[in-house]
Amino acid sequence: MREMAVFTGNAHREFAEAVCRHLKLPLGDCEVTEFSNENIFVRFQENIRERDVFLIQPIVPPVNTRLMELLIMIDAAKRASAGRITAVIPYYGYGRSDKKDQPRVPITARLLANFIEVAGANRVLTLNLHAGQIQGFFNIPLDELTALPMIADYFRGQNLQDPVVVATDVGGAKGARNVAARLGADLAIVDKRRTGNNDSAEAMTLIGDVNGRDCVIVDDEILTGGTVASSLKLLRSEGARSVHLACVHPLFAPRAYDLLDTSDVAELVYTDSVPVSRPFQKVATHTLSVAPLIGDAMHRIHTGGSVGELFL
Ligand code: R5P
């Protein structure tokens, strides 16, 4: 079997290092820099001929730069005769643009899949896509991992009373139902509307009973915090005893800090799939690391083991 080699761009070096620590492998040396004209330059500083190459790069702000870094790294690895190239994308940017739901709009999540394939990736490893169907945008093998069992296990140890897991929209109901099942909790669903092509969201009505109960809102990502903040308000108005928040991808735009730090959320739980720019002032937070999960999946891909067995 060809040797494994792991590299990263500039999106989330700390995470790539954590994955390498778990794998007991050094993080490979790859120069990824930008010229003053914003053109990106990549050079692998070691021989990767015939190696099983893993490129770790979440597509996070500045999104277009990090995406280009990944694509150029894939191209450089291909031209350096890597044996196989796996794009490890803990957060798949543009994931919300996954359908043509109004006239004359793109399906950017699909366009990205094309870019990644054309650049020369042989496979993709990712975590909690915005919609599972994005898998089908690729014609190369894709493994999608999930951090939801880890989130459920965390809350199982929290002594919640009569817990309810809450999905912030119908699209998130399946994931929330899985968390609820693992937690032995009920499920509630918020009917959320987006009013335009901006970031604002409004929680309209609640399906389910939360009165006097501890609630756990589970979402794939938090960006502005608008979705979870309006859901939290709704749950409170329906008599929730406490509201905990959990998301896989903590993207946290500046507004999320304002909204959540002034809320009465009991706790905010998230993974390290993307870098978090600064700590919250008032909200209690807890980070769950997905580095071991991603590392184990990479090892299984390398050795031809089952990735699905990670979730049995
Ligand atoms: C939307 O469908 C997602 O599941 C999240 O609810 C959304 O991306 C969160 O965005 P924001 O925090 O800006 O409301």
Side-chain angles (χ1 to χ4, degrees):
M1 169 60 67
R2 301 170 291 225
E3 249 179 286
M4 234 174 143
V6 185
F7 300 91
T8 187
N10 294 309
H12 198 2
R13 172 165 284 272
E14 200 185 329
F15 180 74
E17 285 169 350
V19 171
C20 284
R21 271 197 302 280
H22 181 76
L23 287 168
K24 297 189 173 52
L25 278 178
L27 180 60
D29 190 4
C30 182
E31 184 184 353
V32 185
T33 50
E34 203 175 288
F35 294 114
S36 44
N37 62 2
E38 293 184 11
N39 288 192
I40 292 164
F41 174 77
V42 167
R43 182 170 181 214
F44 289 92
Q45 304 285 18
E46 54 195 85
N47 175 25
I48 53 170
R49 202 171 278 272
E50 293 308 321
R51 308 260 307 262
D52 194 10
V53 171
F54 291 82
L55 306 175
I56 302 178
Q57 179 93 325
I59 302 173
V60 290
V63 166
N64 301 325
T65 302
R66 299 305 175 230
L67 172 64
M68 280 309 293
E69 285 182 2
L70 174 64
L71 296 174
I72 295 170
M73 287 177 81
I74 295 171
D75 185 73
K78 180 179 70 183
R79 292 172 197 284
S81 305
R84 180 172 66 175
I85 304 164
T86 301
V88 181
I89 309 175
Y91 175 70
Y92 190 77
Y94 285 105
R96 285 207 236 168
S97 175
D98 61 353
K99 59 191 151 317
K100 195 169 173 219
D101 54 359
Q102 46 183 306
R104 300 174 296 282
V105 296
I107 303 180
T108 317
R110 158 85 199 205
L111 183 64
L112 250 64
N114 290 163
F115 284 169
I116 291 163
E117 276 187 57
V118 168
N122 300 108
R123 44 188 316 134
V124 171
L125 173 64
T126 190
L127 177 77
N128 290 94
L129 290 165
H130 179 62
Q133 295 88 320
I134 292 172
Q135 297 167 10
F137 292 172
F138 288 88
N139 291 311
I140 51 176
L142 177 146
D143 293 296
E144 181 189 359
L145 306 175
T146 175
L148 295 181
M150 195 181 283
I151 288 174
D153 292 348
Y154 172 78
F155 282 105
R156 207 152 49 177
Q158 295 305 299
N159 215 4
L160 301 179
Q161 285 182 29
D162 205 4
V164 188
V165 175
V166 182
T168 59
D169 57 23
V170 178
K174 191 171 168 214
R177 190 181 307 120
N178 292 343
V179 174
R182 200 164 169 117
L183 200 55
D186 284 342
L187 174 70
I189 301 170
V190 172
D191 173 27
K192 178 181 83 174
R193 308 273 157 86
R194 284 204 183 269
T195 41
N197 291 320
N198 54 26
D199 282 335
S200 62
E202 196 186 343
M204 309 290 284
T205 44
L206 181 74
I207 307 164
D209 171 28
V210 298
N211 194 15
R213 307 172 75 176
D214 288 333
C215 297
V216 181
I217 297 179
V218 176
D219 214 340
D220 58 333
E221 64 180 51
I222 295 178
L223 176 58
T224 65
T227 299
V228 288
S230 64
S231 302
L232 191 146
K233 211 163 122 197
L234 179 63
L235 295 177
R236 280 299 197 188
S237 71
E238 296 282 330
R241 184 171 167 271
S242 72
V243 182
H244 303 246
L245 300 181
C247 73
V248 177
H249 307 297
L251 294 162
F252 300 155
R255 183 159 169 257
Y257 290 90
D258 300 338
L259 278 176
L260 300 181
D261 261 337
T262 52
S263 75
D264 63 352
V265 60
E267 191 182 18
L268 171 56
V269 177
Y270 48 79
T271 81
D272 56 355
S273 65
V274 302
V276 170
S277 54
R278 59 184 160 101
F280 282 85
Q281 297 301 311
K282 301 208 180 90
V283 182
T285 58
H286 184 81
T287 309
L288 301 168
S289 182
V290 287
L293 176 66
I294 297 236
D296 286 346
M298 286 164 60
H299 179 71
R300 283 165 185 258
I301 288 169
H302 177 62
T303 55
S306 161
V307 171
E309 274 173 13
L310 281 172
F311 299 101
L312 291 181

